[in-house]
Amino acid sequence: MSSIPLSEGRPPTQRIATPAQRIALVDVNNFYASCERLFDPRLESRPMVVLSNNDGCIIARSDEAKALGIAMGVAVHKVRDSLKRQKVQIYSSNYALYGDMSARVVSVLKRFTPYLEVYSIDESFLDLSGFADPEAYGHDIRDTVLRWTGLPVSVGVGATKTLAKIANRMAKKNPALGGVFVMPGDDADDELLGRIETGDVWGIGRRLAARLETLGIVTALDLKRADPKFIRARFSVVVERTVLELRGTPCLSLEAATPQQKGIMVSRGFGKRVRDFGHIEAAVATYASRAAEKLRRQGLAANKLTVSLRTSPFDAARERYANAASFVFPEATTDTAEMIGAAGRCLKSIFKPGLAYQKTGVFLDALEDAGHAQRSLFSRFDSGPGADPARTRALMQTMDRLNAAWGRDTVRFAATGLQRPWAMKQGNKSPCYTTRWRDLKQVQA
């Protein structure tokens, strides 16, 4: 079946879809749980869960925890007694560890093909078009990732991204497949799709599946056989593309070139309600610093900064309040000091004394390439007393290098505070095994 015509102006790093296209989805099994288990072998075969920010909800489960019927997204305080009774290990989210391990997995995958799309922290699409035996290559990928990173992955291969997602699901669900499954094609695909509910198809979801069911479309095979034009008219072009993808017609090309971000948000809930302006000011300065680091890492500059502040929407007995304020920089900036100053001014304009605040955040907007940022006609040549743009850039680069080499916050601005009573709860956080020197595992001979 011929592919859908693709738009002109495609970035040179993307490959044009062909009838012989083979897309692989490589997904780390139970990613957060696997990262924790990697550095603590005592967790092997034991049920464990990972919690969201402030240790609120369960966001990841090992297979053993799933077998116990522990639900995804449930508030941990509702099931804490049950978890203790079943001897389930509980961990706070360790994003530094997860992010570093994700980067390591991607670096391994890039050795297998230059055409790769990092879809999420634990999933990547690979173009395997042209390989004579994609199943054998999938096993090679799986074995290499496990050997070099210690993380188990599943590999699903199909003619489209949607079919690769389904193949990956099969690879995970059936241990006999050895973690790799290739969609066979033709009528054999239909037999498999007939056993999959529409709600389990990538991009459909439960609510849309319920609407499809009213039309008699219950399985992925039903959706594949539906009239694309009817589906588009009744639902959307997105669902129409899903129909075509199930038929083996590629509609979603591999995004090998990462699109430039439209905005950068750093937002956290406080570990406890905070009333003190100084504490909130330190939190805002910390989030502005985090956002600036992410900005520079991507080679971008920001023209606008927004600070948001709110009380908890669930505190019925307390006054509810939410507000935000923005600052537009005279010129696009990457300077953390300038962002901290702007964030502080925004916070002062929206802070109301006497309230118990639950969350704040910093959002950088109107981003552009830092190397080609538009300068002001009346640009000042100094960004502070005795400083110039080149000196400021050098300072930021030095800070970033030191923090990258020695761990986050090795060097930081005093405005972020020495003590952080506002920090989110992480009562069961594991060490940062790969990103902090003092947390490195010690081996004794």
Side-chain angles (χ1 to χ4, degrees):
M1 186 177 292
S2 61
S3 61
I4 290 179
L6 300 173
S7 60
E8 296 181 359
R10 173 179 303 280
T13 50
Q14 294 183 343
R15 299 184 74 174
I16 298 176
T18 68
Q21 176 171 281
R22 279 281 182 255
I23 297 295
L25 175 64
V26 180
D27 182 10
V28 182
N29 301 339
N30 306 318
F31 179 57
Y32 288 1
S34 294
C35 287
E36 299 290 355
R37 184 171 280 171
L38 175 62
F39 294 94
D40 191 349
R42 294 173 300 177
L43 297 173
E44 197 66 39
S45 301
R46 297 180 65 180
M48 61 173 296
V49 297
V50 179
L51 308 181
S52 63
N53 288 347
N54 282 312
D55 292 346
C57 302
I58 295 173
I59 58 172
R61 304 158 295 164
S62 66
D63 286 334
E64 295 80 7
K66 294 175 184 178
L68 293 174
I70 298 171
M72 186 74 158
V74 65
V76 70
H77 72 269
K78 294 182 178 180
V79 295
R80 192 176 296 277
D81 290 342
S82 174
L83 295 178
K84 185 176 181 179
R85 187 169 56 254
Q86 297 178 96
K87 298 182 179 181
V88 177
Q89 302 297 306
I90 303 174
Y91 281 84
S92 304
S93 295
N94 188 341
Y95 297 118
L97 174 63
Y98 308 151
D100 185 67
M101 293 308 302
S102 174
R104 295 181 184 215
V105 171
V106 171
S107 69
V108 176
L109 296 180
K110 286 181 177 178
R111 293 174 173 264
F112 288 90
T113 174
Y115 303 104
L116 176 148
E117 174 190 340
V118 180
Y119 179 67
S120 68
I121 193 170
D122 61 341
E123 295 177 290
S124 293
F125 287 106
L126 283 65
D127 189 345
L128 300 187
S129 303
F131 289 94
D133 190 346
E135 183 176 357
Y137 204 59
H139 281 288
D140 191 14
I141 291 172
R142 186 177 186 275
D143 294 343
T144 303
V145 173
L146 181 61
R147 186 167 62 252
W148 289 10
T149 70
L151 296 176
V153 301
S154 295
V155 183
V157 183
T160 67
K161 282 185 172 181
T162 302
L163 290 174
K165 273 275 192 178
I166 291 174
N168 186 275
R169 175 185 174 86
M170 296 299 298
K172 280 187 175 182
K173 296 290 184 181
N174 189 348
L177 296 173
V180 178
F181 181 70
V182 179
M183 294 293 288
D186 301 326
D187 293 341
D189 274 6
D190 289 352
E191 194 276 330
L192 190 153
L193 294 177
R195 303 198 307 266
I196 297 175
E197 296 180 358
T198 53
D200 293 325
V201 176
W202 185 38
I204 297 300
R206 296 300 175 184
R207 296 179 65 179
L208 186 54
R211 294 176 57 195
L212 289 167
E213 188 174 355
T214 63
L215 301 175
I217 301 174
V218 178
T219 68
L221 180 59
D222 296 332
L223 187 59
K224 173 184 177 179
R225 291 173 172 173
D227 179 24
K229 292 183 178 178
F230 170 78
I231 291 296
R232 178 170 183 164
R234 194 68 179 264
F235 296 94
S236 68
V237 66
V238 175
V239 185
E240 178 194 27
R241 288 171 181 164
T242 300
V243 173
L244 295 173
E245 287 250 324
L246 289 172
R247 295 181 175 189
T249 302
C251 299
L252 305 172
S253 58
L254 207 68
E255 295 182 3
T258 304
Q260 179 177 305
Q261 281 191 254
K262 302 297 183 181
I264 294 176
M265 181 74 174
V266 178
S267 179
R268 302 282 188 275
F270 300 133
K272 60 183 180 181
R273 302 294 184 263
V274 179
R275 297 177 181 272
D276 184 83
F277 175 81
H279 291 164
I280 299 176
E281 187 178 36
V284 167
T286 300
Y287 300 161
S289 298
R290 297 277 187 272
E293 290 171 5
K294 293 182 179 182
L295 188 78
R296 292 191 294 271
R297 196 179 303 137
Q298 299 175 47
L300 301 174
N303 283 286
K304 182 180 177 183
L305 177 146
T306 300
V307 173
S308 60
L309 182 66
R310 78 176 196 194
T311 61
S312 174
F314 305 107
D315 289 346
R318 295 172 174 167
E319 179 183 348
R320 295 183 183 179
Y321 174 75
N323 206 345
S326 299
F327 180 87
V328 177
F329 298 104
E331 297 178 355
T333 183
T334 62
D335 185 2
T336 297
E338 190 173 3
M339 294 183 195
I340 288 176
R345 290 191 289 274
C346 290
L347 177 63
K348 287 179 181 177
S349 70
I350 60 176
F351 178 81
K352 289 176 63 175
L355 299 183
Y357 292 99
Q358 182 259 341
K359 188 175 185 180
T360 189
V362 173
F363 180 65
L364 300 181
D365 198 6
L367 308 184
E368 57 182 292
D369 189 321
H372 300 87
Q374 180 66 48
R375 314 311 298 181
S376 167
L377 179 63
F378 304 102
S379 173
R380 298 192 326 165
F381 288 94
D382 60 322
S383 57
D388 58 35
R391 185 175 178 182
T392 298
R393 286 195 298 272
L395 174 61
M396 295 299 102
Q397 290 170 0
T398 301
M399 285 186 61
D400 292 343
R401 282 198 298 269
L402 287 171
N403 288 327
W406 296 96
R408 173 176 283 178
D409 290 337
T410 299
V411 181
R412 67 178 192 237
F413 283 82
T416 62
L418 298 178
Q419 302 297 325
R420 296 180 174 178
W422 45 267
M424 66 180 181
K425 295 177 184 176
Q426 290 182 302
N428 298 284
K429 182 183 175 184
S430 58
C432 296
Y433 297 108
T434 63
T435 56
R436 186 179 294 153
W437 284 105
R438 64 175 178 268
D439 288 348
L440 287 177
K441 279 284 190 180
Q442 296 183 8
V443 179
Q444 298 178 350

